[in-house]
Amino acid sequence: MKRVILPAGESVAALGQGTWRMGDNQATRAEEIATLRLGLDLGLTLIDTAEMYGEGRAEELIGEAIAGRRDEVFLVSKVMPSNASRRGTINACEQSLRRLKSDQIDLYLLHWRGSTPLEETLEAFATLQRSGKIRYWGVSNFDRADMEELIQLAGGSAVATNQLLYNLSRRGIEWDLLPWLREQAIPLMAYSPIEQARLLRNPHLKDFAKRNDMTPAQVALAWLLAADDIMVIPKTGRRERLKENCHALYQPLTPAQLAELDRLFPPPTGPHPLEML
Ligand code: NAP
């Protein structure tokens, strides 16, 4: 399994598993759990979730899926901005831990920036680290100005990642946010890497995939996996698709293929407001 090194020196699986909308439908629950477990077998040990997903149902499903296998997992969850006060963050984390049936979250993210002063959330993250309830903390949906402000705050430079919308059809962050993250050696976690499956219908991607003996999902994931500092968290609740997606790891794109994808999905030529889903 290709790995990405976090600022603290620990490495995590570059290809992980997203869980948004898992646990919402009783009829698909067993297959979703089987998919997460198969993912662990295949080395996709980074699991991303959030207290927001299904109002805790995704975390509960993960708790069931990883029962007896907690040590294999690098568990990522998120606090909602409306809970991100000093006390609220700690309460939210404790509730996530109960749903996850775990005593520790590996990486705890602020889901997006809200009105709570960042200092308060950082103090809560530090308290949670001291008590062993989280190991690392990070942010999500932070633009460059938010990141610049964050790293000036006490303890702020310990941010482990910024989880952002990034895929072939959403390349705006390449203008200045991604270069800035690289200067600071902060790895990126790319969410909605196949644009919630919409990208798979793109005729250019379909044609490229066909010519290169890959599926559209494999191309989209392999494009992100070409970087050394990007963790990629596609979501699927189906074992067949998980296996398909996992193959992206073993089909690295050549420089010529990457150049062709640049022509088909051009990088930004100017600044873009940060996009999120
Ligand atoms: P995504 O991973 O780009 O796409 C997921 C969708 O694609 C699902 O509907 C899935 O359906 C389908 N799919 C997956 N593999 C496929 C394949 N090989 N062929 C056809 N369809 C396929 O979108 P996402 O769920 O929005 O993003 C991934 C994860 O990022 C989330 O689950 C969540 O953990 C995280 N996220 C974070 C934020 C944030 O604000 N921080 C926002 C959005 C997402 P099936 O499950 O039915 O296969």
Side-chain angles (χ1 to χ4, degrees):
M1 167 60 70
K2 181 180 159 73
R3 299 185 75 83
V4 170
I5 301 172
L6 297 178
E10 181 170 340
S11 73
V12 297
L15 187 63
Q17 306 188 71
T19 63
W20 192 12
R21 301 205 171 90
M22 278 194 191
D24 285 355
N25 180 350
Q26 202 52 38
T28 53
R29 186 180 180 85
E31 177 65 12
E32 288 166 352
I33 289 176
T35 305
L36 285 171
R37 289 186 181 149
L38 176 63
L40 296 184
D41 296 339
L42 297 175
L44 279 63
T45 50
L46 187 157
I47 298 181
D48 176 76
T49 191
E51 61 167 338
M52 190 186 88
Y53 300 164
E55 295 173 343
R57 285 192 299 275
E59 288 182 328
E60 280 169 5
L61 181 135
I62 291 166
E64 206 177 318
I66 66 173
R69 302 184 69 171
R70 175 66 188 89
D71 318 352
E72 296 170 48
V73 183
F74 188 88
L75 198 48
V76 184
S77 193
K78 314 185 195 77
V79 57
M80 281 193 293
S82 52
N83 286 337
S85 64
R86 211 176 273 111
R87 187 65 236 161
T89 303
I90 291 167
N91 286 340
C93 180
E94 286 169 351
Q95 285 178 38
S96 286
L97 287 170
R98 260 195 297 280
R99 288 188 289 265
L100 290 161
K101 297 196 180 62
S102 181
D103 46 22
Q104 193 172 58
I105 289 171
D106 294 289
L107 174 58
Y108 198 41
L109 309 179
L110 174 59
H111 208 147
W112 64 91
R113 190 167 182 185
S115 53
T116 307
L118 287 175
E119 289 89 337
E120 272 203 41
T121 313
L122 289 198
E123 279 175 34
F125 285 158
T127 305
L128 288 167
Q129 277 180 313
R130 279 195 298 275
S131 60
K133 288 178 179 156
I134 69 170
R135 295 176 61 226
Y136 306 112
W137 65 270
V139 294
S140 178
N141 299 303
F142 268 44
D143 209 343
R144 179 171 168 164
D146 300 314
M147 290 303 294
E148 282 174 339
E149 193 181 327
L150 175 72
I151 63 159
Q152 295 306 318
L153 300 175
S157 60
V159 58
T161 192
N162 187 2
Q163 185 180 112
L164 296 166
L165 174 60
Y166 187 42
N167 63 48
L168 273 171
S169 65
R170 306 266 198 176
R171 298 185 60 171
I173 64 165
E174 287 176 39
W175 183 254
D176 65 351
L177 179 52
L178 184 54
W180 184 88
L181 290 170
R182 288 190 162 139
E183 271 164 34
Q184 308 295 321
I186 300 169
L188 163 70
M189 196 180 290
Y191 75 70
S192 306
I194 56 171
E195 188 67 17
Q196 300 184 329
R198 291 182 291 275
L199 191 52
L200 310 183
R201 295 193 291 270
N202 180 292
H204 297 302
L205 185 62
K206 281 166 74 173
D207 175 62
F208 178 96
K210 200 168 171 196
R211 282 187 284 108
N212 289 280
D213 210 15
M214 296 170 82
T215 68
Q218 287 164 348
V219 175
L221 297 173
W223 178 75
L224 288 163
L225 289 165
D228 287 335
D229 55 355
I230 301 186
M231 296 158 273
V232 189
I233 49 167
K235 177 263 174 185
T236 179
R238 308 180 199 210
R239 281 171 287 180
E240 277 316 305
R241 287 180 176 172
L242 180 94
K243 285 189 252 172
E244 175 193 337
N245 294 349
C246 193
H247 266 97
L249 283 164
Y250 309 107
Q251 296 162 293
L253 298 171
T254 63
Q257 288 171 319
L258 290 168
E260 187 182 351
L261 288 170
D262 275 342
R263 285 194 295 279
L264 298 172
F265 299 92
T269 51
H272 275 251
L274 185 66
E275 297 178 294
M276 57 189 280
L277 288 179

